[in-house]
C-alpha cells in the first residue's frame, strides 16, 4: 500500500490519554544541510549512553556534514508515545525519536512519523527481513531504521537438565513432554511458567507460529488476534497450565526470582536480553544456564519470534528530514556507532553484521560457560518471523494482561481469553473511527 493510501486509512487519529508534558523544540531552519549552513537535530531516546554515541557522530560524520545531534533523554514505552504525540500536535516534536516497533503504527496513525524510504532504502540489506519489515508496516514506505532487536530463545539450567536426564527440546511437542517428565520426576519443580504480565512474550510466540495480528485490506484494518496460529499457541500453553505441567505465576516478581534462583523453575522462554534479567533474578545460578534456539512447531523448521526492540524514526515536524534520516542510518549501520551502542547502551543491535565480533566477541559473563552465546544468538536472529503491528497495540496488550491473567489463575480456557482480546481490539479500532473488516 502506498503512503498516500495509508494516510487516508489512518486519517482518524487514536484517542490517547495525554498528560501534561514538557515539550522540547524541534530543529530549526528551512532546508537540509545540503542546501548550506549548519543543522541542529534533536533526538529523543531512552537507551543509556545515547548521548555518547551522538558525540561520535558530532566529531566525525556530523562535523563534516555540519549536522549536530543533541540527545534528550526520555522515558520509554507508553510514556514516550504519549509525549511524542502531544509534541506533534503542538508542532514541536523533535527531529528524531527512538520508537519501539509495536509503537510505530500508533505514531504513523497520529501523523508523527515521516516516510524516509528515499533516504534509507539502501540500509535494508543490513537487517534480517523480519526486522526490517517492522519499520515498513507492510507498505512501500519506511518509517524508521531498526536499532535493536529481541530474537527469542530457550534458556535452561544445564546442571538440572543433566540431573533429571532431560533433553533440550527442539519442538514444542518435545517441550511439553519435557515439562511433564520433569513434573513426574520431581513434583516440586516446574520447567517454566506462563506469565500474563508481559504481553510481548505471548506476541512473540504467536509471531513465531505465523500469526499476523493486524493487517490491512484496502483502506481498512483487519484484526487477526484470534487467528489459527495464535489459537494454537494459546491452546498449547493453556493445556500445560491446566494440567499443572508448568507454573501459572507471573514473571518479574520476588516469587519468580526465587523460583529461578533456587531451581524450582529450570527453564525460561525469553529473548537475547535474558542474561541481564537472570543476573539480577537468579545470581546464585550464574554459569549454570545455557541458551538454545526456540522450539519449533514443525521439526526441522527454523523460525523465532521477537520480544522487544526499537528503531530510530524521523518526525514530520523536522525541518531537516534528510539530515535526520542520514543520522538514523549512520547510527544503526556504521561499525563505530554500532560498537558504541553495544558498549554504552547495552543493546543487541538489529544490524546483522554487528551481532558477532567486537563487543559481542565474548559471551555475557553470566553465560561464560557458553562461549558461542552470541554466535548462536546471531544465527537465531536471522530467522525472526515477520510481525504485524497495528495502531492500538496498547489496547490489545491491556486486554491480554487482564484476560490471560484470570485464565492462568483459574486454569481456565485460554482461547476464551484470546476471544476477549480480539473483541476488545476490534471494538477500540471502531470506536476510534477506523474502518475494520472481518
Amino acid at each position: 500500500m502506498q503512503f498516500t493510501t495509508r494516510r487516508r486509512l489512518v486519517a482518524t487519529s487514536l484517542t490517547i490519554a495525554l498528560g501534561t508534558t514538557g515539550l522540547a523544540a524541534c530543529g530549526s531552519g528551512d532546508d537540509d544541510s545540503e542546501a548550506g549552513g549548519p543543522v541542529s537535530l534533536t533526538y529523543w531516546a531512552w537507551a543509556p549512553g545515547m548521548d555518547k554515541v551522538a558525540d561520535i557522530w558530532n566529531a566525525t560524520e556530523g562535523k563534516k556534514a555540519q549536522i549536530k545531534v543533541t540527545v534528550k533523554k526520555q522515558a520509554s514505552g507508553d510514556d514516550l508515545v504519549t509525549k511524542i504525540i502531544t509534541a506533534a500536535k503542538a508542532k514541536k516534536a523533535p527531529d528524531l525519536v527512538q520508537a519501539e516497533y509495536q509503537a510505530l503504527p500508533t505514531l504513523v496513525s497520529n501523523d508523527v512519523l515521516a516516510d524516509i524510504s528515499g533516504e534509507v532504502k539502501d540500509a535494508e540489506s543490513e537487517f534480517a527481513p523480519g526486522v526490517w519489515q517492522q519499520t515498513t508496516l507492510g507498505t512501500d514506505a519506511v518509517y524508521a531504521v531498526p536499532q535493536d532487536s529481541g530474537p527469542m530463545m530457550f534458556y535452561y539450567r544445564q546442571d538440572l537438565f543433566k540431573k533429571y536426564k532431560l533433553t533440550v527440546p527442539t519442538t514444542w511437542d518435545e517441550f511439553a513432554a519435557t515439562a511433564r517428565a520433569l513434573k513426574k520426576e520431581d513434583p516440586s519443580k516446574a520447567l517454566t511458567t506462563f506469565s500474563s504480565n508481559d504481553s510481548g512474550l505471548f506476541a512473540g510466540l504467536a509471531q513465531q507460529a505465523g500469526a499476523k495480528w493486524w493487517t490491512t485490506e484496502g483502506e481498512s484494518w483487519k484484526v487477526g488476534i484470534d487467528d489459527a496460529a495464535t489459537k494454537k499457541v494459546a491452546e498449547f500453553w493453556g493445556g500445560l497450565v491446566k494440567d499443572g505441567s508448568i507454573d501459572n505465576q507471573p514473571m518479574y516478581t520476588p516469587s519468580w526470582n526465587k523460583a529461578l534462583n533456587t531451581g524450582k523453575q529450570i527453564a525460561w522462554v525469553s529473548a537475547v536480553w535474558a542474561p541481564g534479567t537472570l543476573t539480577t533474578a537468579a545470581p546464585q545460578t550464574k554459569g549454570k544456564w545455557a541458551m538454545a534456539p526456540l522450539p519449533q512447531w514443525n521439526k526441522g523448521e527454523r523460525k523465532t519470534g521477537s520480544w522487544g526492540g526499537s528503531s530510530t524514526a524521523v518526525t514530520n515536524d523536522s525541518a531537516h528530514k534528510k539530515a535526520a534520516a542520514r543520522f538514523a542510518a549512520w547510527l544503526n549501520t556504521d561499525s563505530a556507532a554500532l560498537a558504541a551502542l553495544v558498549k554504552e547502551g547495552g543493546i543487541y543491535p538489529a544490524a546483522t553484521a554487528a551481532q558477532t565480533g567486537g563487543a559481542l566477541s565474548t559471551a555475557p559473563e553470566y553465560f561464560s560457560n557458553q562461549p558461542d552465546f552470541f554466535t548462536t544468538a546471531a544465527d537465531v536472529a536471522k530467522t525472526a518471523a515477520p510481525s504485524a503491528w497495528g495502531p492500538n497495540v496498547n489496547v490489545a496488550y491491556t486486554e491480554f494482561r487482564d484476560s490471560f491473567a484470570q485464565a492462568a489463575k483459574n486454569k481456565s480456557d485460554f482461547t476464551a481469553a484470546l476471544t476477549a482480546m480480539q473483541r476488545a481490539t476490534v471494538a477500540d479500532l471502531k470506536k476510534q473511527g477506523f474502518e475494520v473488516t472481518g
Side-chain angles (χ1 to χ4, degrees):
M1 184 187 306
Q2 296 296 323
F3 180 61
T4 52
T5 304
R6 168 70 70 183
R7 290 287 294 277
R8 291 196 299 273
L9 170 63
V10 297
T12 304
S13 298
L14 289 176
T15 301
I16 295 180
L18 301 175
T20 302
T21 58
L23 303 180
C26 63
S28 59
D30 298 319
D31 300 303
D32 288 314
S33 59
E34 289 84 350
V39 166
S40 294
L41 304 175
T42 301
Y43 178 27
W44 284 6
W46 72 84
M50 196 64 75
D51 54 336
K52 296 180 180 178
V53 185
D55 287 344
I56 297 173
W57 162 268
N58 292 333
T60 55
E61 297 297 317
K63 185 176 182 179
K64 289 186 289 185
Q66 292 188 294
I67 303 170
K68 182 180 180 181
V69 176
T70 300
V71 175
K72 300 290 186 182
K73 189 70 178 289
Q74 305 294 321
S76 60
D78 291 342
D79 289 341
L80 180 56
V81 173
T82 298
K83 186 174 181 180
I84 194 71
I85 292 173
T86 304
K89 288 181 183 299
K91 302 299 181 184
K92 293 183 178 180
D95 299 277
L96 299 122
V97 62
Q98 183 181 4
E100 292 178 291
Y101 296 119
Q102 68 266 25
L104 292 176
T106 300
L107 296 178
V108 171
S109 297
N110 282 274
D111 206 26
V112 175
L113 304 185
D115 175 8
I116 54 174
S117 55
E119 288 72 38
V120 303
K121 195 67 174 177
D122 289 345
E124 180 176 355
S125 61
E126 303 287 336
F127 306 95
V131 173
W132 181 261
Q133 180 266 347
Q134 295 195 76
T135 68
T136 70
L137 312 188
T139 72
D140 293 331
V142 178
Y143 295 107
V145 180
Q147 185 163 99
D148 60 312
S149 63
M152 295 177 67
M153 299 150 188
F154 177 68
Y155 294 85
Y156 64 99
R157 283 280 300 271
Q158 278 185 311
D159 56 334
L160 296 181
F161 262 60
K162 182 177 181 180
K163 176 181 178 180
Y164 293 110
K165 298 181 176 59
L166 302 174
T167 302
V168 178
T170 61
T171 67
W172 288 113
D173 284 343
E174 291 175 2
F175 179 94
T178 300
R180 292 176 176 126
L182 173 63
K183 186 61 68 173
K184 182 178 180 180
E185 185 70 21
D186 187 343
S188 70
K189 297 191 180 297
L191 182 64
T192 191
T193 188
F194 177 86
S195 175
S196 64
N197 64 352
D198 194 324
S199 316
L201 171 57
F202 185 76
L205 291 170
Q207 178 185 336
Q208 185 213 20
K212 289 182 172 57
W213 285 1
W214 286 269
T215 54
T216 54
E217 290 185 359
E219 302 199 12
S220 298
W221 285 99
K222 182 176 182 180
V223 181
I225 290 175
D226 63 349
D227 64 7
T230 311
K231 282 182 179 177
K232 178 171 65 175
V233 175
E235 289 170 353
F236 176 82
W237 288 92
L240 291 176
V241 168
K242 186 175 182 178
D243 67 20
S245 298
I246 62 172
D247 201 356
N248 62 344
Q249 301 301 310
M251 301 178 293
Y252 313 133
T253 64
S255 177
W256 181 74
N257 291 348
K258 184 178 180 180
L260 293 178
N261 206 28
T262 61
K264 186 177 180 180
Q265 285 184 28
I266 71 169
W268 184 28
V269 175
S270 188
V272 69
W273 42 259
T277 302
L278 290 171
T279 298
T280 302
Q284 296 178 20
T285 62
K286 175 183 175 182
K288 296 180 179 180
W289 291 77
M291 177 267 287
L294 206 61
Q296 303 294 306
W297 285 105
N298 298 304
K299 199 170 187 64
E301 284 185 344
R302 293 190 70 231
K303 295 179 183 177
T304 195
S306 295
W307 183 3
S310 63
S311 64
T312 309
V314 176
T315 72
N316 278 318
D317 281 353
S318 176
H320 309 292
K321 294 181 181 64
K322 289 184 179 179
R326 181 173 175 179
F327 171 75
W330 172 89
L331 178 65
N332 299 302
T333 62
D334 180 83
S335 58
L338 291 165
L341 284 173
V342 174
K343 179 183 177 182
E344 304 294 345
I347 72 165
Y348 185 73
T352 55
Q355 291 172 352
T356 56
L360 300 182
S361 296
T362 306
E365 186 179 356
Y366 193 90
F367 281 80
S368 58
N369 56 304
Q370 190 174 8
D372 66 345
F373 181 94
F374 283 119
T375 302
T376 301
D379 288 339
V380 171
K382 294 174 184 175
T383 68
S387 65
W389 303 114
N392 61 342
V393 172
N394 59 326
V395 172
Y397 275 17
T398 297
E399 184 62 37
F400 170 83
R401 289 191 293 269
D402 292 343
S403 295
F404 276 84
Q406 196 66 28
K409 180 181 179 180
N410 298 335
K411 298 186 176 182
S412 59
D413 184 11
F414 275 28
T415 57
L418 191 65
T419 299
M421 192 176 166
Q422 168 82 10
R423 288 175 177 169
T425 305
V426 170
D428 178 74
L429 281 178
K430 290 180 178 178
K431 180 180 178 182
Q432 303 307 329
F434 290 100
E435 289 186 35
V436 183
T437 60

